Amino acid sequence: MVDILPENTPLWQSMEDAALEVLSSYGYSEIRLPIIESTELFARSIGEVTDIVEKEMYTFADRNDESMTLRPEGTAGCVRAVVQHNLAVTPQRLWYMGPMFRYERPQKGRQRQFHQLGVEAFGVATPDQDAELIALCRQLWCRLGVDDALQLEINTIGSAADRARYREALVDYLSLRRDQLDEDSQRRLETNPLRILDSKNPDTQSVLDEAPLLQDYVDADAQADFDQLLDYLGALNIPYAVNPRLVRGLDYYNKTVFEWTTGHLGAQSTVCGGGRYDTLVETFGGKATPAAGFAIGLERLTLLMQALDITVSTPADLYVITAGETAFRHSLPRLDALRRQYPELDIIQHLGGGSFKSQFKRADKSGAAWALVYGDAEVAAQQVTLKPLRADAEQRTIADEELDAFVAGYLAEAQGA
Ligand code: ATP
Ligand code: MG
């Protein structure tokens, strides 16, 4: 489990703010979901023989001996909530953000507790919905300055029936070449053969070169929707690569699947993954409702921002220095009024006393733009001294009443900059 430290939270907050802005601009509403759900919920939706359910879940028996699981992803819980609260009206656009848990080998971009932003849209079966989701992603990438570093990979995996037919053909083909497969893929040949397609093992990949293609098993309806989606992406000027081996690791997907990948993060290259899951609502006992969604791995997105040297710093505006007890007391109502009048102004007051010299040292270190100084002389004369800490400006001493005008001017300038 990983702590997100104060030096990194500004980056997280700017990412979250941008996401919230983009999501509301498309009419998506937030839904807040529990972190623990019954184990069966995940097994049933994600699939018994997926990596997640087989070996990655944090599962425990609660005091009543019911099997519970820390959510490894958000779609299952979201669909449960949609069914439970009759939210599957058309269209229903939802998002959620929060921690997910998977028992994995921790490494860069892979943690046991990590965070996802999930976006789910219910009720629309046509590829205009898929296009909207992908366009929304791109808007977010642009706002964060990472759009040049992310590529869209996309595929259609057809219906469950299409995949069942393809699965047979693939198993026939691979069974004859079983000894050329890596150990993991040999095991998957029995359990989840489609996952072999995205094996990272180069030998396995070369065996796959001649393998039957999923494309050839996808029915005309799914293919037509896919072509329509690609046409919309063209209209949106979103570059994409059709990756015929992209299948995604969760059982509930059908038709469109996509991933946004980057070359900047090494092996953990997928920042966002999603697709259509038209049968999941029904699986959970709801009325048949088409749906599509995606999840962004927020750690990987912040790592990408860092790799691109995108920095966010939020230094204070004012650092307040006071000469002693009397000056401190004198400053209190003045700062209180200032905070009330300018909620956007960041004021750090020096606490714990100390010499002017040591207070100025702290002021410098804080990164604040100006020091606000109440010395004995200032207090006696109802004045305040303003010393620039970063700005190229003159130090000045002004009357208390003039502080308001100074702050207003400072904020106007800061907003203009
Ligand atoms: P991977 O192939 O990297 O294991 P996945 O297919 O398991 O990814 P999804 O279940 O589709 O991933 O989750 C969506 C996104 O969540 C991923 O693309 C990734 O950015 C992020 N993610 C998944 N697992 C982790 C993890 N253990 N640590 C950090 N981020 C993760
Ligand atoms: Mg995984």
Side-chain angles (χ1 to χ4, degrees):
M1 311 297 171
V2 173
D3 300 306
I4 300 172
L5 299 177
E7 59 181 349
N8 280 326
T9 45
L11 192 67
W12 278 81
Q13 287 165 347
S14 75
M15 178 176 71
E16 290 159 3
D17 291 349
L20 181 53
E21 216 171 80
V22 172
L23 287 159
S24 352
S25 80
Y26 278 85
Y28 284 73
S29 313
E30 185 182 12
I31 182 165
R32 300 197 181 190
L33 301 159
I35 285 172
I36 302 175
E37 299 262 8
S38 78
T39 303
E40 189 241 4
L41 178 84
F42 300 111
R44 199 147 54 107
S45 57
I46 297 168
E48 297 277 5
V49 291
T50 55
D51 282 353
I52 294 180
V53 174
E54 270 188 337
K55 53 186 191 203
E56 293 176 0
M57 293 205 302
Y58 280 90
T59 297
F60 62 96
D62 72 5
R63 289 175 185 278
N64 197 26
D65 242 5
E66 285 177 49
S67 183
M68 309 299 290
T69 293
L70 295 181
R71 63 180 187 193
E73 56 102 55
T75 304
C78 186
V79 173
R80 184 217 23 87
V82 161
V83 171
Q84 187 176 335
H85 304 287
N86 284 317
L87 301 179
V89 293
T90 303
Q92 181 66 265
R93 296 177 164 101
L94 300 173
W95 67 270
Y96 49 82
M97 190 161 8
M100 306 293 161
F101 304 84
R102 298 185 193 177
Y103 192 81
E104 304 206 65
R105 197 167 66 78
Q107 54 202 287
K108 187 181 160 205
R110 196 176 290 290
Q111 296 170 189
R112 291 181 172 178
Q113 175 173 342
F114 61 102
H115 297 77
Q116 282 185 343
L117 166 63
V119 178
E120 319 284 1
F122 297 89
V124 183
T126 42
D128 46 354
Q129 180 66 75
D130 312 48
E132 177 177 277
L133 290 168
I134 291 170
L136 190 160
C137 290
R138 206 256 310 253
Q139 287 284 350
L140 179 60
W141 310 149
C142 289
R143 218 157 296 201
L144 295 174
V146 298
D147 52 311
D148 283 344
L150 284 167
Q151 285 81 45
L152 175 63
E153 291 183 36
I154 189 162
N155 193 23
T156 179
I157 59 171
S159 65
D162 296 341
R163 284 198 304 287
R165 287 190 301 126
Y166 174 66
R167 183 188 155 124
E168 259 179 58
L170 184 68
V171 169
D172 285 349
Y173 171 87
L174 289 176
S175 298
L176 297 173
R177 296 156 183 85
R178 197 192 162 91
D179 46 352
Q180 289 162 260
L181 299 176
D182 59 275
E183 208 177 303
D184 230 19
S185 298
Q186 290 189 0
R187 196 174 49 82
R188 282 181 170 148
L189 201 50
E190 272 87 54
T191 58
N192 197 353
L194 263 61
R195 274 322 293 274
I196 299 174
L197 295 180
D198 61 17
S199 160
K200 305 275 190 296
N201 186 299
D203 295 334
T204 298
Q205 277 299 333
S206 63
V207 176
L208 287 167
D209 283 342
E210 304 284 310
L213 284 175
L214 180 50
Q215 249 76 354
D216 299 333
Y217 292 78
V218 167
D219 72 15
D221 168 52
Q223 190 59 50
D225 279 0
F226 191 54
D227 293 340
Q228 178 75 73
L229 172 58
L230 297 185
D231 181 58
Y232 291 149
L233 295 180
L236 284 159
N237 200 19
I238 298 178
Y240 58 82
V242 175
N243 174 358
R245 289 186 190 165
L246 183 66
V247 289
R248 313 275 305 118
L250 299 83
D251 276 1
Y252 52 64
Y253 286 114
N254 69 303
K255 287 189 167 177
T256 312
V257 293
F258 64 89
E259 289 188 352
W260 290 91
T261 60
T262 178
H264 292 265
L265 296 181
Q268 273 55 255
S269 58
T270 305
V271 169
C272 169
R276 202 159 253 296
Y277 50 91
D278 292 326
T279 54
L280 195 54
V281 174
E282 211 177 357
T283 305
F284 281 166
K287 183 166 120 292
T289 306
F294 63 80
I296 299 173
L298 296 179
E299 276 75 10
R300 292 188 195 173
L301 187 53
T302 54
L303 285 171
L304 178 58
M305 290 168 77
Q306 282 165 341
L308 297 174
D309 283 328
I310 297 168
T311 52
V312 177
S313 68
T314 48
D317 302 304
L318 307 178
Y319 193 97
V320 182
I321 289 172
T322 48
E325 191 51 42
T326 310
F328 178 78
R329 193 170 187 288
H330 171 90
S331 75
L332 283 177
R334 288 166 174 76
L335 297 180
D336 209 46
L338 211 55
R339 290 186 198 279
R340 209 170 300 228
Q341 189 169 355
Y342 300 102
E344 73 273 42
L345 193 68
D346 297 338
I347 308 170
I348 299 178
Q349 177 152 38
H350 183 91
L351 303 177
S355 68
F356 261 173
K357 195 173 158 212
S358 70
Q359 292 193 46
F360 268 112
K361 238 189 205 156
R362 291 272 195 90
D364 271 328
K365 230 175 132 185
S366 78
W370 288 83
L372 211 65
V373 188
Y374 290 98
D376 293 332
E378 282 90 345
V379 171
Q382 307 276 321
Q383 291 177 327
V384 56
T385 294
L386 298 160
K387 185 179 182 224
L389 297 172
R390 286 183 291 126
D392 190 17
E394 294 280 297
Q395 176 169 329
R396 70 200 78 165
T397 299
I398 58 174
D400 275 349
E401 313 79 79
E402 290 167 346
L403 185 55
D404 192 26
F406 168 80
V407 167
Y410 163 83
L411 285 174
E413 201 176 302
Q415 264 148 29

